Amino acid sequence: MDKKNIDWSNLGFGYIKTDKRYVSNYADGAWDNGEMIDDDMITLSECACVLQYSQSIFEGLKAYTTENGHTVVFRPDLNAERLANSAKRMEMPVFPVDRFIDAVEKTVRANEAYVPPYGTGATLYLRPYMFGINPVIGVKPADNFQFRIFATPVGPYFKGGAKPITIKVSDFDRAAPNGTGHIKAGLNYAMSLHAIVTAHQEGFDENMYLDAATRTKVEETGGANFIFVTKDNKVVTPKSSSILPSITRRSIMTVAKDYLGLETEEREVYFDEIKDFAECGLCGTAAVISPVGKINDHGKEICFPSGMEKMGPITQKLYDTLTGIQMGRIEAPKGWIKVID
Ligand SMILES: *Cc1c(COP(=O)(O)O)cnc(C)c1O
């Protein structure tokens, strides 16, 4: 397969239109067969439910070329399950897991020329999403929905290595105790935009959100879960019903335990404990792990011993092992890598 003439090694993390996208429509209580189409534009009613009441959910995963030349995707079954959970909470129809995986495969195959070659640091980012399309003015769920997947080649999230970032403790809340923080809904991001713009203006890279009820426990950032490493090398991640169950974080916890032989804990993490941790990282599909060097709590700085120059040693091992598994350099746990070609 001839690849597109793209300067893979200098790609940023942005949208580039590719040739094909998958679309399936839901009407009269059923999904149609779905197809690959060329048109990247969507024409909607001015009163479409997604435009008026934000009935929309999404996923994010990557396709890439492994060391031995296969095109693969990482744990797409978990994205399918999570989209199904998001759909139920948002009164949207479930797009069946097997059909989701099939649609991912079709989208990657149709855009194979955009899957970056091994070793460039770039990947093909896949964005599955679903939204309510028929006119709705009295508040209620839509009856008709569209499910789509587009693909866009993206560069490594961090150019020139992952430098530790500085985050601030936000005064805004991300998710209410019985709200929608645990699902991947666009609305969770809409309400975070003001908070992230404010944080950037103040010179911070990201927000740390605390639990909205007591503001004593660590939740997550706008789009990534936390992992911490204790001084005795235990890997700790916050447990809460209002954080998004990151597939990267779940994979990292398995890698820590089964590949690195580290003790792991998923438990409530109090903000007061953070000063005693040795390392801190943010995890998500885009960056895998971004090291956090410093947390600013209303002017008071918490500096991790790993510093502002490089990742902490355990974070680095987790990063190297997980990316090694993804790129086919290290044997993967059963079912983690779906080979497409
Ligand atoms: C998508 C997302 C993550 C990361 O999840 P991955 O499955 O690892 O990509 C973390 N937090 C939030 C709020 C998210 O939307």
Side-chain angles (χ1 to χ4, degrees):
M1 156 70 66
D2 281 345
K3 295 289 179 188
K4 295 280 171 178
N5 185 18
I6 292 175
D7 185 5
W8 305 107
S9 303
N10 287 309
L11 277 175
F13 198 88
Y15 172 76
I16 294 173
K17 190 173 104 182
T18 62
D19 295 342
K20 305 278 181 185
R21 60 276 303 131
Y22 180 88
V23 59
S24 180
N25 285 297
Y26 183 90
D28 302 322
W31 289 104
D32 67 14
N33 288 332
E35 58 177 340
M36 297 305 307
I37 61 165
D38 293 333
D39 193 358
D40 61 311
M41 302 302 279
I42 299 172
T43 303
L44 281 178
S45 162
E46 62 187 354
C47 196
C49 190
V50 62
L51 299 179
Q52 303 310 323
Y53 302 125
S54 298
Q55 197 181 20
S56 90
I57 54 178
F58 68 100
E59 276 301 325
L61 68 166
K62 286 170 169 176
Y64 43 87
T65 310
T66 59
E67 190 175 32
N68 58 5
H70 289 302
T71 300
V72 305
V73 289
F74 186 70
R75 309 189 79 178
D77 51 319
L78 297 188
N79 295 98
E81 271 171 31
R82 193 167 64 186
L83 188 79
N85 291 334
S86 299
K88 287 174 197 160
R89 177 64 175 80
M90 292 288 283
E91 290 294 334
M92 300 167 86
V94 166
F95 195 73
V97 168
D98 56 330
R99 285 207 52 197
F100 179 99
I101 295 170
D102 179 60
V104 163
E105 245 180 284
K106 287 194 167 95
T107 308
V108 175
R109 281 221 175 88
N111 294 292
E112 186 93 48
Y114 290 94
V115 181
Y118 175 77
T120 57
T123 55
L124 187 69
Y125 183 75
L126 304 170
R127 171 51 60 92
Y129 58 118
M130 190 198 295
F131 48 98
I133 52 178
N134 59 291
V136 165
I137 193 73
V139 177
K140 65 180 172 96
D143 300 303
N144 299 340
F145 296 86
Q146 189 163 100
F147 170 78
R148 284 188 169 240
I149 307 179
F150 69 74
T152 182
V154 295
Y157 206 73
F158 300 108
K159 281 221 166 73
K163 281 262 173 186
I165 59 170
T166 304
I167 66 178
K168 70 166 281 188
V169 177
S170 182
D171 290 321
F172 297 103
D173 293 320
R174 191 192 85 90
N178 298 294
T180 54
H182 61 303
I183 61 163
K184 222 167 166 71
L187 61 91
N188 291 331
Y189 282 78
M191 48 69 67
S192 77
L193 296 175
H194 177 61
I196 192 66
V197 168
T198 306
H200 286 164
Q201 280 167 351
E202 295 170 355
F204 301 107
D205 299 297
E206 260 297 348
N207 281 303
M208 167 184 270
Y209 292 105
L210 303 178
D211 75 294
T214 71
R215 297 189 144 265
T216 58
K217 289 174 271 186
V218 177
E219 294 256 313
E220 60 173 321
T221 67
N225 285 182
F226 279 105
I227 51 161
F228 298 101
V229 181
T230 64
K231 288 186 175 137
D232 55 357
N233 291 348
K234 205 182 280 171
V235 182
V236 179
T237 193
K239 186 187 176 96
S240 157
S241 57
S242 48
I243 66 179
L244 197 279
S246 157
I247 294 164
T248 313
R249 184 257 298 165
R250 285 182 269 167
S251 304
I252 286 169
M253 296 306 272
T254 302
V255 164
K257 198 151 59 78
D258 297 348
Y259 284 70
L260 302 178
L262 300 170
E263 245 184 273
T264 59
E265 276 179 358
E266 185 181 354
R267 60 164 172 86
E268 291 186 331
V269 173
Y270 284 86
F271 181 72
D272 284 348
E273 298 177 58
I274 284 183
K275 60 180 188 332
D276 300 320
F277 289 135
E279 299 176 33
C280 173
L282 302 178
C283 44
T285 294
V288 186
I289 307 178
S290 341
V292 175
K294 224 190 290 187
I295 299 175
N296 189 301
D297 174 24
H298 302 89
K300 221 172 71 196
E301 285 190 340
I302 298 168
C303 302
F304 293 102
S306 50
M308 293 302 293
E309 283 308 311
K310 54 180 184 3
M311 283 193 194
I314 298 289
T315 306
Q316 185 74 55
K317 272 190 199 159
L318 291 168
Y319 179 88
D320 290 343
T321 311
L322 183 57
T323 52
I325 289 169
Q326 290 175 330
M327 292 297 164
R329 297 185 293 262
I330 298 173
E331 193 179 339
K334 205 169 173 314
W336 278 24
I337 306 289
K338 175 153 186 68
V339 178
I340 291 188
D341 259 336

